[in-house]
Amino acid sequence: METSNNEMTAERSLEIITKTIEESRRRITRGSWKSMMLWGVSVAVIALVVGHLWQNTSAGPGANGLWGILGLIGIAEQRYKKRQPQVPETFISKTLSQVWSSLGFMAGSIGLFMGILAFFNIVIPLPVVYYPDHVFESYHIPITALIILLMGIAGMITGRILKSTAITVCCYISGIVGSFLALVYAGPLEMVVLAGVAVVGLIVPALIIKTKEG
């Protein structure tokens, strides 16, 4: 009799845990569209401004310094969230926070490192090998393509965790196509590609989630 009660208790505990995780997943998915829309619009607008200044003004590649605005947006968002009713942190919300904070740290580190090199006018030749005995030096590091690929991976992980097909598919498409196009259109035009990635990988899923809520 005691064994039966223990089994029922274990089954009931597992059921409660499962329901809690699913409710947490649904709650995070419902509210995720706001942050996705904020960051999607921010990245798209800054990318277009940077691309324009890069191509049409004397600022050139130095216009990429405007990406520091994203840090200010992140600080403003965090302050806004602190003023809202606090929701207990769950394993899912903590995992998603770690995924995107890791992306932000990696992308920020890449940008900072390359910015320092550009500031001191340091050029590092990169040997590119197409086939044996044919090597040439390239001076272009595909930062944008790398960041787009990282965004796609982080977005897909988010979509899988939240069981959101819209997020997963959109981030997969934006990551694959965007990173390829950023390599093809290196220079100011890669900012246009990045803006498109923000639309497909962030804004479109945000609109889909918002529509389902409505």
Side-chain angles (χ1 to χ4, degrees):
M1 185 67 176
E2 183 178 352
T3 301
S4 178
N5 289 335
N6 289 336
E7 290 178 355
M8 290 298 295
T9 301
E11 290 177 359
R12 179 57 179 166
S13 298
L14 182 60
E15 181 182 353
I16 293 174
I17 293 173
T18 302
K19 287 183 177 180
T20 301
I21 292 175
E22 290 300 322
E23 176 57 31
S24 173
R25 181 181 287 114
R26 286 192 295 269
R27 185 173 65 248
I28 295 173
T29 302
R30 285 195 300 269
S32 64
W33 72 270
K34 296 179 181 179
S35 289
M36 294 179 70
M37 182 64 71
L38 171 65
W39 288 99
V41 172
S42 299
V43 170
V45 171
I46 294 176
L48 293 177
V49 172
V50 169
H52 173 75
L53 296 176
W54 188 348
Q55 185 170 14
N56 300 298
T57 70
S58 59
N64 282 283
L66 291 177
W67 286 110
I69 296 175
L70 287 181
L72 299 178
I73 294 175
I75 293 174
E77 182 188 27
Q78 289 301 317
R79 289 186 176 181
Y80 172 78
K81 287 182 176 180
K82 287 182 179 180
R83 296 176 181 177
Q84 304 304 307
Q86 295 298 310
V87 178
E89 188 176 47
T90 64
F91 174 76
I92 292 178
S93 63
K94 186 176 182 180
T95 300
L96 292 179
S97 176
Q98 291 173 340
V99 168
W100 286 100
S101 62
S102 297
L103 165 66
F105 181 78
M106 183 65 72
S109 297
I110 293 174
L112 178 62
F113 177 71
M114 297 309 301
I116 293 174
L117 293 181
F119 180 79
F120 290 102
N121 198 27
I122 299 175
V123 178
I124 301 178
L126 301 176
V128 179
V129 181
Y130 276 134
Y131 50 85
D133 301 325
H134 186 82
V135 181
F136 74 94
E137 292 181 346
S138 172
Y139 295 93
H140 176 72
I141 299 177
I143 304 174
T144 303
L146 289 175
I147 292 177
I148 289 174
L149 186 60
L150 291 174
M151 287 176 60
I153 294 173
M156 287 186 65
I157 293 174
T158 299
R160 296 298 298 273
I161 291 176
L162 297 179
K163 294 184 178 181
S164 172
T165 302
I167 296 176
T168 303
V169 173
C170 286
C171 289
Y172 172 77
I173 294 173
S174 64
I176 290 292
V177 178
S179 58
F180 173 75
L181 291 179
L183 292 174
V184 174
Y185 298 101
L189 286 180
E190 67 189 44
M191 293 294 103
V192 178
V193 175
L194 182 55
V197 167
V199 172
V200 177
L202 293 172
I203 296 177
V204 171
L207 292 174
I208 293 174
I209 293 172
K210 181 64 174 66
T211 302
K212 289 183 178 180
E213 286 185 12

